[in-house]
Amino acid sequence: MSASPVLVQKFGGTSVSTPERREQVVEHVRRARADGYRVAIVVSAMGRRGDPYATDTLLDLLRSDGGPVAPDDYDLMFTCGEAISVAVMSQALKRAGIPAAGLTAAQARIYSDGAHLEANVEQIDTTRLNALLADGTVPVITGGQAVARASLDFTTLGRGGSDTSGVAVGVALGACRVEIFTDVDGVATADPRLVPDARIRSRVSCDSMYELARFGAKVVHPRALATGRTGRTPIVVRSTFSHSPGTLIADVEDEGPLVGLAALPPMDTVVLPVGATDAAMRKGWERSRLVMSIVDAERGTVLVGAADDKAAELRDALREAGHDPTQRLGRCCWLSVVGDAGALEEQHPRWMTRFAQEGLAVHAVERSGRRVTYVVPEAARTRAAELLHLAISR
Ligand code: ADP
Ligand code: ASP
Ligand code: MG
């Protein structure tokens, strides 16, 4: 008889922030076990900035001492939030009569390339995890961290990296799927905080979701999606606070020609001449510094942007390019629509007409296969998002 399937469930920061919410987490684990799965869970640090053990609260403690924070200290502090969360969740499961074992990345044997702040998971030695699962115990694993193989130093996978941990553990364990539990019912046609009437999708293709995530749909981290696609492991995004089925992200057809709208946080944006950078350089910036860039082929410009806390990274990137900006646009919003290339081609002129009718300036447009990105002034964010979303929700 074959062993029962493995299910990995990842719970985000808000999902584990109060005793009542942790009860709901326990309930999801209990149900999955009752349905015949062997379950491992991955958890984020509890709550958001201001909550005592949230990642930002802990990092602020380091920053408040002044001066630059050394990457190894940053990573060590970062990992404390998830370690606390694991101990608390492991206790909650045990109290509910579910055998559990809390594990840091070192104990779970999740190994990285050793790069502080934005490490990659290189390998997971599943011996211990499999032994726990075989024994009917739920491994409760810290998200967002891995240890350098030789030194066992803690490294982190970047902000939002618990999604990547969840999927990497799922792939390593041969899980039938990874469930990303969060504070919304699934992947919506836009961030419901920006577009309140956004609709939850029942499914989204890996390619579309990757592009949405890259351009700001933070509901799943892009690297988690890349890991799931390579490992051929389906991902389901669902709510901790309901039993809604959520959104399946897999090798599936999208539900419609226009899939969704994504928005990056407002970014300080500058313009470079088109020859100032090449694709490899820009990919490197995005990967290591979260400095985003797009090419506006019609205007012959490259727009480069970074969120407020990445000002130094933006400066470094510009220095690397060896070109001074031809224009500084200040804080702008980068809004992207993802979907079928033909449908985007058809919609683009209509959107431009609507923007012009409403007097909304568009600083740049990148048309790139299954995505169109519009860079607009920060003040136009809500209205531009509304206009773009109208076509998606039809
Ligand atoms: P967690 O702490 O669970 O990882 P995140 O804050 O990282 O949660 O991600 C969940 C948030 O992602 C939601 O609260 C929502 O505001 C935001 N979000 C952005 N784009 C989307 C989208 N297309 N669909 C659903 N949520 C989205
Ligand atoms: N707690 C980490 C962060 O806030 C990792 C995560 O939540 O995914 O970035
Ligand atoms: Mg997240």
Side-chain angles (χ1 to χ4, degrees):
M1 204 181 75
S2 64
S4 49
V6 173
L7 179 64
V8 175
Q9 300 183 317
K10 177 262 167 176
F11 295 92
T14 46
S15 302
V16 292
S17 59
T18 66
E20 296 72 31
R21 290 173 174 190
R22 293 193 286 273
E23 277 311 306
Q24 289 175 288
V25 171
V26 169
E27 195 44 39
H28 285 293
V29 174
R30 194 199 306 280
R31 275 190 177 223
R33 282 162 57 87
D35 288 342
Y37 295 103
R38 290 178 290 153
V39 180
I41 75 171
V42 172
V43 297
S44 292
M46 300 191 303
R48 296 272 185 265
R49 176 175 261 125
D51 293 324
Y53 313 114
T55 307
D56 280 309
T57 311
L58 297 171
L59 294 175
D60 284 348
L61 176 62
L62 275 186
R63 293 177 187 128
S64 67
D65 284 349
V69 177
D72 52 345
D73 294 332
Y74 176 101
D75 275 357
L76 195 53
M77 181 61 95
F78 192 127
T79 59
C80 295
E82 270 72 16
I84 292 169
S85 191
V86 154
V88 170
M89 242 0 279
S90 171
Q91 268 295 309
L93 287 166
K94 285 177 185 126
R95 266 200 314 275
I98 299 174
L103 305 169
T104 65
Q107 294 165 294
R109 301 178 196 170
I110 302 174
Y111 297 110
S112 78
D113 56 6
H116 282 294
L117 312 181
E118 287 286 338
N120 288 300
V121 173
E122 281 198 330
Q123 194 231 336
I124 301 178
D125 172 352
T126 54
T127 316
R128 184 161 181 198
L129 294 177
N130 275 323
L132 289 166
L133 288 170
D135 197 34
T137 300
V138 176
V140 182
I141 306 163
T142 47
Q145 55 175 263
V147 290
R149 182 186 296 278
S151 61
L152 296 186
D153 285 346
F154 277 103
T155 55
T156 59
L157 313 181
R159 298 310 306 268
S162 295
D163 294 342
T164 311
S165 304
V167 178
V169 167
V171 170
L173 291 173
C176 59
R177 66 179 182 279
V178 174
E179 296 182 336
I180 307 262
F181 282 89
T182 184
D183 56 2
V184 284
D185 275 338
V187 177
T189 47
D191 185 342
R193 289 176 218 244
L194 178 62
V195 183
D197 60 352
R199 275 185 300 118
I200 299 293
R201 292 279 183 215
S202 60
R203 63 173 195 275
V204 178
S205 68
C206 293
D207 289 347
S208 291
M209 194 63 227
Y210 182 77
E211 211 54 7
L212 283 169
R214 242 186 102 208
F215 279 84
K218 70 181 280 235
V219 65
V220 198
H221 196 287
R223 268 205 269 159
L225 295 161
T227 305
R229 183 165 48 188
T230 310
R232 297 184 161 276
T233 304
I235 296 171
V236 173
V237 176
R238 51 184 298 202
S239 171
T240 303
F241 314 125
S242 77
H243 291 287
S244 303
T247 305
L248 171 68
I249 302 164
D251 188 9
V252 291
E253 291 267 312
D254 285 313
E255 278 175 331
L258 295 177
V259 181
L261 166 73
L264 286 161
M267 297 201 291
D268 191 16
T269 303
V270 301
V271 184
L272 293 178
V274 81
T277 67
D278 59 23
M281 189 184 266
R282 294 197 302 276
K283 205 168 171 193
W285 294 346
E286 180 178 337
R287 173 72 189 81
S288 62
R289 302 185 179 131
L290 305 179
V291 169
M292 298 298 289
S293 58
I294 56 165
V295 176
D296 185 322
E298 267 175 43
R299 292 177 174 88
T301 52
V302 178
L303 268 77
V304 185
D308 297 344
D309 61 337
K310 298 281 169 194
E313 281 84 349
L314 179 59
R315 263 197 312 276
D316 288 351
L318 297 179
R319 194 174 314 124
E320 213 166 281
H323 275 269
D324 287 331
T326 53
Q327 208 185 344
R328 293 185 180 272
L329 298 171
R331 277 161 63 90
C332 292
C333 275
W334 295 37
L335 299 169
S336 303
V337 181
V338 170
D340 170 73
L344 292 174
E345 191 71 22
E346 196 182 313
Q347 276 300 326
H348 170 67
R350 296 184 193 158
W351 279 321
M352 291 302 278
T353 305
R354 283 311 301 271
F355 290 150
Q357 282 168 349
E358 302 226 359
L360 297 183
V362 176
H363 294 307
V365 179
E366 182 178 69
R367 300 161 78 176
S368 169
R370 52 192 312 100
R371 170 180 52 82
V372 184
T373 298
Y374 300 93
V375 177
V376 300
E378 188 181 9
R381 176 180 162 95
T382 312
R383 185 59 187 148
E386 233 167 36
L387 289 178
L388 293 169
H389 188 261
L390 276 176
I392 300 169
S393 56
R394 267 207 302 271

